[in-house]
Amino acid sequence: MNKLEQTWRWYGPNDPVTLQDVKQAGATGIVSALHHIPHGEVWPLADIQERKRIIEEAGLTWSVVESVTVHEEIKTKGPKVDEYIQKYRETLSNLAECGIKTVCYNFMPVLDWTRTQLDLLMTDGSKALYFDWIDLAVFDIFILKREGADREYSEDIVKQASGRFDQISEQQKQDLANVVLMGIPGEKSVELDSLRASIDTYKHIGKEGLRENLVYFLNGIAATCESNGIHMTIHPDDPPYPILGLPRIASNGEDFNYFLNAVPQQFNGVCFCTGSLGASQTNDLPAILEEIKHRVNFVHLRNVKKDAIGSFYEADHLDGDVNMYKIMRILVAENQQRSKAIPFRPDHGHQMLDDLHKVTNPGYSAIGRLRGLAELRGLEYGIIGE
């Protein structure tokens, strides 16, 4: 039986995890991006070729681009939207010329992903990423001071957030803001004033407007993707619900069906992220995957554990609220229908063992992901052998 392609996210030459480390973990494909290129600008052919050369000289393959970031001008459909879509098309053409044709992106407004703590201590001494609704309310109501924010949380969460804000130090408040506003490793974080301005912009766009802007973007790149054999894979919202007054349009099965039907060409696909979708209290992940599996071109496998109010931490890959066995069974079966293996990567991982004493990118230390990949590899092989 055909096996899934095992890949690993690598942030480039400055990543503390080396390509040699990746090879020892057993992955064969690299998921990377040119983070030094400003958002929206064309990725030069020479830069792509250089990154590809480094990866291939290490005996690996650049399998997926994650991410070619969609500029805010496109998401908001600003006056320069067509100019930025043209630049995006040029980047896609350059990637295709280098044989790199699976491209991950997201359409989340302003913030790429959101957590409130990067080092939640687990019972075994490892550390995990954490999203706490109370801490988010502390940031939203008392630090960001967004108008009307207190009305969007339950009375109990507002009360707990108020008490927590009064108790924590100024340094702790700054640390919380830094985590919420943190960008992708190697890229700059969002500023508070910039976030406030963006929230006001998206207030006028709303969910329906953002959906329309996504469809406009996809239609704008369709011809380039189809002529070059490119597969676009949208990453789900993380977390999968509106936060800080910003709309979300890729959080559940209904969202996926909307844009997959609106732009039905095969190039328009999904990156199925079990961690992002699993953070919802209502998503049925196996059911969603069964419905859209023919449009899934890339997979992030990660697990989460939620509490009663929906706060969640990133659990071990096989130990959380996501039924990874059911997900893997569907993926293994779908992969048999493909001429080219579906790439997956172990998404995030606990900071553990020697990595506890190293500076690592949050969620992207080596040993936690190595453990995750080993577990997921074993799960796949076990299912194949059933």
Side-chain angles (χ1 to χ4, degrees):
M1 293 182 78
N2 299 326
K3 295 185 178 73
L4 300 166
E5 182 187 9
Q6 298 172 26
T7 69
W8 187 280
R9 190 167 191 179
W10 184 63
Y11 286 97
N14 294 324
D15 194 324
V17 179
T18 68
L19 291 173
Q20 188 64 39
D21 296 335
V22 177
K23 287 184 73 174
Q24 291 182 23
T28 57
I30 292 295
V31 177
S32 194
L34 303 185
H35 297 290
H36 62 283
I37 307 294
H39 290 183
E41 295 308 309
V42 176
W43 289 14
L45 190 60
D47 290 51
I48 299 169
Q49 290 169 334
E50 174 62 12
R51 177 64 56 87
K52 186 182 181 189
R53 180 192 66 77
I54 293 170
I55 291 168
E56 291 182 348
E57 283 186 357
L60 298 160
T61 302
W62 189 358
S63 301
V64 180
V65 177
E66 185 181 349
S67 298
V68 181
T69 303
V70 179
H71 195 274
E72 283 293 306
E73 191 76 0
I74 296 174
K75 295 177 186 176
T76 61
K77 204 176 180 184
K80 294 184 178 179
V81 59
D82 293 329
E83 176 184 324
Y84 278 103
I85 287 178
Q86 175 56 30
K87 290 181 177 181
Y88 206 99
R89 285 195 291 260
E90 290 178 37
T91 293
L92 293 178
S93 296
N94 288 346
L95 286 166
E97 188 172 332
C98 295
I100 306 161
K101 299 188 178 185
T102 301
V103 178
C104 186
Y105 71 103
N106 75 67
F107 223 72
M108 285 180 268
V110 194
L111 300 172
D112 190 274
W113 59 286
T114 306
R115 296 292 183 273
T116 57
Q117 187 178 345
L118 305 177
D119 57 357
L120 181 70
L121 189 64
M122 299 284 96
T123 55
D124 64 2
S126 62
K127 294 178 181 178
L129 304 183
Y130 184 46
F131 177 91
D132 181 4
W133 274 111
I134 297 167
D135 276 340
L136 187 75
V138 168
F139 171 80
D140 196 4
I141 299 169
F142 302 105
I143 298 175
L144 182 63
K145 298 178 181 177
R146 180 171 62 91
E147 184 181 351
D150 57 328
R151 297 193 296 272
E152 296 181 13
Y153 300 89
S154 71
E155 188 176 328
D156 183 55
I157 288 180
V158 172
K159 183 179 179 181
Q160 290 189 62
S162 178
R164 187 172 295 179
F165 181 76
D166 291 339
Q167 292 170 2
I168 61 177
S169 67
E170 289 303 314
Q171 185 59 53
Q172 287 172 309
K173 292 170 187 174
Q174 186 60 55
D175 290 345
L176 173 61
N178 289 343
V179 171
V180 174
L181 296 169
M182 186 181 64
I184 292 295
E187 300 182 7
K188 64 180 183 180
S189 300
V190 177
E191 300 292 333
L192 264 181
D193 287 342
S194 173
L195 177 57
R196 290 188 182 104
S198 294
I199 288 169
D200 189 56
T201 297
Y202 281 101
K203 188 187 301 180
H204 302 289
I205 293 173
K207 178 170 183 173
E208 290 308 313
L210 190 59
R211 274 182 161 182
E212 291 168 7
N213 294 350
L214 171 60
V215 171
Y216 186 84
F217 164 68
L218 289 169
N219 284 329
I221 63 171
T224 301
C225 291
E226 292 193 298
S227 63
N228 287 284
I230 291 170
H231 296 289
M232 298 297 294
T233 73
I234 189 169
H235 188 283
D237 303 320
D238 186 7
Y241 21 70
I243 59 169
L244 307 177
L246 298 169
R248 298 296 213 201
I249 59 167
S251 294
N252 52 49
E254 191 269 332
D255 287 342
F256 292 144
N257 283 327
Y258 174 85
F259 61 74
L260 291 177
N261 290 330
V263 185
Q265 296 98 309
Q266 195 60 37
F267 84 88
N268 177 26
V270 170
C271 168
F272 195 84
C273 177
T274 56
S276 297
L277 295 169
S280 164
Q281 291 177 301
T282 57
N283 280 340
D284 181 338
L285 269 64
I288 295 172
L289 182 55
E290 277 287 4
E291 189 168 4
I292 66 167
K293 61 188 178 183
H294 59 295
R295 302 286 283 275
V296 170
N297 297 317
F298 182 35
V299 182
H300 290 178
L301 296 178
R302 171 167 62 84
N303 222 320
V304 292
K305 195 77 174 176
K306 304 181 290 289
D307 64 16
I309 64 171
S311 299
F312 64 89
Y313 65 85
E314 299 191 357
D316 291 328
H317 286 76
L318 302 185
D319 181 30
D321 296 334
V322 175
N323 188 325
M324 203 63 77
Y325 170 75
K326 286 186 176 180
I327 295 296
M328 186 63 83
R329 281 202 70 179
I330 297 168
L331 289 174
V332 167
E334 175 62 22
N335 198 47
Q336 307 316 306
Q337 312 303 315
R338 306 285 183 100
S339 58
K340 187 171 182 289
I342 302 169
F344 83 92
R345 67 174 178 84
D347 193 16
H348 298 180
H350 289 175
Q351 191 176 10
M352 60 194 304
L353 302 177
D354 288 355
D355 283 339
L356 287 167
H357 311 293
K358 297 177 182 176
V359 176
T360 61
N361 292 326
Y364 288 97
S365 55
I367 300 172
R369 285 186 290 166
L370 182 151
R371 174 183 172 177
L373 180 58
E375 292 176 343
L376 295 165
R377 179 190 300 134
L379 180 61
E380 181 194 14
Y381 286 13
I383 289 169
I384 288 174
E386 287 180 341

